[in-house]
Amino acid sequence: MHQVPEVRRGDRVRRTRRADEALAAMVAEVRAGLERRPLPELPCKYFYDARGSALFDEITRLPEYYQGRTESAILGAHADAIVEAVRPFELAELGSGAGRKIRFFLDAMRSRGWLESVVLLEINDVYLRESVARLQADFPEARVRGIAGDFVSDLPALGPGGGRLLLFLAGTVGNLHPDDLSPFLRAAASALEPGDGFLVGVDLVKDEGRLHAAYNDSAGVTAEFNRNILRVLNDRLGADFDPSDFEHHAFYDAERQWIEMRLRARRPVRARVPAAGLTVTLRAGDEIRTELSCKYTRESFAARLGGTGLVLERWITDPERLFASALLRRP
Ligand code: AVJ
């Protein structure tokens, strides 16, 4: 029997590069990072394979990790007002992850009859496919599409804005080095038209003990998440790291106002990364930086907006001032 071709689910998701190009880019980034001295580093986006994404999800349920639930409380209370202010017909999200918080906005847009399209830009293509399929099933009136890519380099893949509300939640903006924040915001502004909105979740400077606990949870999930980046190198680049050779080290740098996560060699390590033609040798105590998570105040965040083409329209915080939702507008 001849079958009528159907539009397959996968057609709603596209990648910004072929698999071989993505691998070549990863090899180049990992090599550059590991060759860095005095402190080698790995790009934190490589935490998020299936296991890493599941571990991050687990982190958001830890008692010490306030960010996810604090942001959810803010959005639950303010998504309607944000949608009223921006009046979007397209919702776009960077680093959408498991895709739960976006629903506050989808519901707010739907109830006003404004919801026309949704676009997710996410590095984990498994999460992306699932999110696109689930959102499409729950919001059949919208055109839902996904782009598997990196929110730093692939913003142009969103296509032109106009009636767009762009979301960048969970404090992920903190993973950018502060010097890279203004260029990133400028790039985001190019994916927006005048009147469009950009909602950014910002983790705030706070009591050091609270920050320390959030990145050193007692269940050890963050430690496992940190070590997972080595498993990703093993899986994707054929490396032979033994994650148990490394201990989790996370600390707050009060001067720079960022949390830094590192992996510290417990013993001398010699690991090969064949795809990058590299052998990594570390002495006991040597460290690899795996993540920056920058904390801001309203002032330090606003100071990065100059020259980006975006202005701060609202700054919404929870009562404890742990986290902020910054509504930026392209005037
Ligand atoms: C998802 C980037 C916001 O920086 O807090 C959680 C990732 N790292 N625990 C963060 C993370 C360690 C998280 N972001």
Side-chain angles (χ1 to χ4, degrees), residues 48 56 59 65 67 170-172 175 215 222 225 261 291 293:
Y48 301 95
F56 176 65
I59 288 174
Y65 196 79
Q67 291 190 51
T172 306
N175 289 157
Y215 293 84
T222 307
F225 173 74
M261 291 214 307
E291 186 180 56
S293 192

Side-chain angles (χ1 to χ4, degrees), residues 44 47-48 55-56 59-60 62 65-68 95 151 169-176 201 203 214-217 221-223 225-226 248 250 259 261 291-295 323:
C44 64
F47 281 129
Y48 301 95
L55 283 166
F56 176 65
I59 288 174
T60 64
L62 295 167
Y65 196 79
Y66 55 85
Q67 291 190 51
F151 59 71
L169 306 180
T172 306
V173 74
N175 289 157
L176 297 169
D203 196 23
Y215 293 84
N216 291 278
D217 64 278
V221 183
T222 307
F225 173 74
N226 194 3
H248 170 66
I259 285 275
M261 291 214 307
E291 186 180 56
L292 290 183
S293 192
C294 301
K295 309 307 170 191
F323 197 89

Side-chain angles (χ1 to χ4, degrees), residues 30-37 39-41 276-278:
V30 166
R31 184 190 295 122
L34 288 176
E35 285 180 340
R36 220 172 167 127
R37 293 295 177 272
L39 184 61
E41 58 185 42
L278 265 184

Side-chain angles (χ1 to χ4, degrees), residues 95-148:
S96 52
R100 282 183 293 261
K101 291 176 203 155
I102 193 174
R103 287 171 182 262
F104 292 120
F105 296 92
L106 292 170
D107 290 337
M109 289 168 70
R110 162 186 271 175
S111 67
R112 289 166 179 79
W114 295 349
L115 181 60
E116 289 178 20
S117 63
V118 181
V119 51
L120 308 178
L121 177 68
E122 160 65 40
I123 194 158
N124 181 324
D125 60 330
V126 176
Y127 261 32
L128 180 65
R129 271 167 216 289
E130 286 172 7
S131 300
V132 167
R134 235 179 301 123
L135 292 180
Q136 187 65 82
D138 294 348
F139 297 88
E141 71 268 49
R143 172 173 179 256
V144 183
R145 60 198 176 94
I147 301 164

